[in-house]
Amino acid sequence: MAENEPHLLDVDLLTAAVPHARLAELRRREPVSWQDAESGGYWAVLKHADVLAVSRDPALFSAEAKGMQLVDYTDQLPTLLSLDPPRHTEMRRRVLHAFTPKVVRELEPRMRAIVRATFDKVARRATCDFVQDVVRPLPLEIVCDVLGVPDEDRARVGDWADLLAGSADPEIASGGKTGTQGAIEFGTYAFQLAQKNDPARGETLIAVLKNAELDGEQVDLMSFCGLFVQIAIAGNETTRSTLVGGMLELIQRPEALRALREDPKRIPSAVEEMLRWLSPVHYFRRTATRDTVLRGQKIAAGDRVVMMYASANRDEDVFREPDRFDIARAPNPHVAFGFGEHFCLGAALGRLEARVFLEELLTRFAAIELAGEPVRLRSNELNAWKHMPVRLVPAS
Ligand code: HEM
């Protein structure tokens, strides 16, 4: 790493833009690259095959040891993402049923209804914010449905999820609101919700989580809250940024937008390309449990190992013309949803939300134009936008 160069997960670097040219150069020169950071150094894993290798070996590259974020995890809330097998396998099994293909498919009419109601609200406006007014309601309502959050609490849940995802952004974490405080409030809310014995909630995730066991013990309060909060955050911002960033690409490529309008069957592969292109989650981290070697690079026990999804998703050994946005790309083995043990539980849900949203959008509006500069979320975890002014022209 050159002197005075920001490390690859520097928040200001990633807020400005993902440094694709630098990542490409590093993939050639130093594919497992040491990065010095204030919170301690780490190995950035840049090649697709190496991201797969790290993901598929939780015994060697542990999520549980120090968590999956760059800063060492100390409170050990057993969220799914920060557990290794066998605890992870057991916990994941408990929540899997809420994300089966059948359950997800059945949500499609509800998704269409949410999107149509949202479009009704913005259709007559001269301009609107594509992030907040147009995209945000869909993933928020759906994740609240899945979790079993009552209607009257959804606005608060949305605000907490935004605060936690945007805790490094002064526009969001301001006026005394901090990510830590938000996490405590949100976790407390989750607990209070679980305490309410509401039979109407039936088999929602809250009911299931509340009764789940881990290591033969009832899941404790902290674990329950950790899982609830994690799913609420995971289900929101990632789907939102896929649609916002994806639409931004389409606005700049009218021929691709036209192709989707002419043949909506192309939407699913366009969604995959949006995921590859954007990598809505910048990274997840593991910790080496013993000395090892990755692509010739020695890694010591205890070292931080960071999987850089955006780099893996532009790896020229896997993707032809990786810097071309190609809505028909096939095959498209991107790792935007991760891989292996922790492969995104909400992948089918996120994909369906994206397809339904785009189908409805392209039917309802004849044109979508930028009406101002998009504003990015300040974050080194999520590749996201917080505002994108647009003009939506209804189809006649
Ligand atoms: C569409 C955009 C989404 C993207 C890009 C995304 C990305 C990811 C990534 C990269 C991981 C980690 C995978 C790994 O470590 O190998 C993950 C895990 C997870 N995601 Fe997503 N996600 C999305 C949508 C969702 C939705 C809609 C939900 C739920 C409502 C969700 C829930 C989860 C959960 C619970 C995990 C943890 C799984 C585990 O540790 O076993 N995600 N996601």
Side-chain angles (χ1 to χ4, degrees):
M1 178 178 169
E3 220 173 304
N4 295 332
E5 206 173 31
H7 68 94
L8 289 173
L9 293 179
D10 178 84
V11 64
D12 293 315
L13 176 82
L14 287 174
T15 302
V18 177
H20 283 296
R22 186 171 155 201
L23 292 172
E25 210 226 310
L26 280 172
R27 278 196 299 279
R28 278 192 297 277
R29 211 168 34 79
E30 199 189 345
V32 178
S33 167
W34 180 255
Q35 301 288 309
D36 284 316
E38 317 77 54
S39 51
Y42 59 93
W43 295 106
V45 176
L46 301 166
K47 297 288 285 180
H48 188 275
D50 298 340
V51 166
L52 300 192
V54 171
S55 303
R56 64 160 69 97
D57 196 348
L60 177 56
F61 298 107
S62 164
E64 197 161 325
K66 297 277 172 66
M68 69 298 180
Q69 287 167 316
L70 192 54
V71 177
D72 291 351
Y73 215 34
T74 47
D75 49 11
Q76 298 301 326
L77 271 188
T79 68
L80 267 178
L81 272 170
S82 56
L83 286 179
D84 292 333
R87 280 152 62 81
H88 173 264
T89 320
E90 177 67 7
M91 185 69 113
R92 187 165 163 122
R93 199 173 59 76
R94 300 274 165 194
V95 290
L96 209 55
H97 81 99
F99 298 95
T100 60
K102 180 169 177 289
V103 172
V104 170
R105 253 194 328 271
E106 283 170 359
L107 283 167
E108 183 169 336
R110 166 83 176 128
M111 290 179 187
R112 284 197 197 278
I114 296 166
V115 172
R116 286 177 189 165
T118 307
F119 292 171
D120 286 344
K121 285 192 195 139
V122 293
R124 282 169 204 281
R125 288 169 51 182
T127 61
C128 60
D129 185 340
F130 195 74
V131 183
Q132 302 297 333
D133 305 331
V134 186
V135 178
R136 186 176 182 272
L138 174 65
L140 175 60
E141 290 295 333
I142 291 297
V143 86
C144 286
D145 283 358
V146 171
L147 284 167
V149 175
D151 285 350
E152 62 274 20
D153 296 341
R154 293 184 174 200
R156 277 197 296 162
V157 166
D159 288 346
W160 280 318
D162 283 357
L163 176 58
L164 295 188
S167 60
D169 189 313
E171 187 192 335
I172 295 166
S174 64
K177 288 187 288 181
T178 63
T180 314
Q181 188 201 336
I184 294 168
E185 282 176 21
F186 199 2
T188 310
Y189 165 79
F191 177 65
Q192 285 165 351
L193 195 57
Q195 297 300 94
K196 286 188 199 154
N197 226 350
D198 181 356
R201 220 178 284 128
E203 277 299 283
T204 59
L205 216 47
I206 290 180
V208 174
L209 291 179
K210 200 181 142 189
N211 297 322
E213 290 182 357
L214 193 60
D215 293 344
E217 303 277 328
Q218 183 81 24
V219 169
D220 61 276
L221 161 65
M222 294 302 275
S223 313
F224 166 78
C225 297
L227 256 174
F228 182 93
V229 169
Q230 188 211 329
I231 290 173
I233 301 170
N236 256 307
E237 189 69 65
T238 47
T239 314
R240 192 192 305 172
S241 53
T242 306
L243 285 168
V244 173
M247 186 46 60
L248 191 53
E249 293 306 320
L250 290 178
I251 290 173
Q252 289 158 5
R253 293 172 174 79
E255 70 297 345
L257 195 54
R258 207 173 314 116
L260 292 183
R261 271 187 203 288
E262 281 165 10
D263 184 4
K265 287 199 194 67
R266 293 177 173 161
I267 289 177
S269 82
V271 168
E272 295 311 306
E273 183 65 343
M274 289 172 183
L275 287 159
R276 180 191 77 88
W277 188 255
L278 297 163
S279 302
V281 177
H282 285 309
Y283 78 96
F284 274 125
R285 169 247 172 124
R286 303 287 187 262
T287 304
T289 55
R290 54 186 155 78
D291 293 354
T292 186
V293 176
L294 185 64
R295 207 173 275 267
Q297 177 61 58
K298 283 187 187 161
I299 292 177
D303 281 357
R304 296 183 179 91
V305 176
V306 165
M307 295 174 284
M308 302 289 292
Y309 296 123
S311 173
N313 282 338
R314 302 278 180 112
D315 187 340
E316 32 298 284
D317 287 348
V318 176
F319 301 98
R320 202 163 32 90
E321 296 186 81
D323 292 321
R324 193 161 73 86
F325 181 77
D326 176 5
I327 57 167
R329 184 178 292 277
N332 191 348
H334 65 77
V335 284
F337 289 122
F339 182 78
E341 203 63 39
H342 291 275
F343 178 79
C344 176
L345 203 55
L349 193 62
R351 283 177 163 135
L352 183 61
E353 287 179 45
R355 172 167 73 72
V356 166
F357 179 91
L358 290 168
E359 284 171 1
E360 293 291 329
L361 186 82
L362 298 184
T363 309
R364 182 70 179 264
F365 298 103
I368 301 137
E369 295 155 8
L370 273 187
E373 275 299 303
V375 184
R376 284 174 62 75
L377 180 74
R378 187 170 191 276
S379 170
N380 71 347
E381 292 169 358
L382 297 164
N383 188 20
W385 288 261
K386 52 185 178 178
H387 304 295
M388 185 163 109
V390 291
R391 200 170 298 110
L392 298 172
V393 182
S396 50

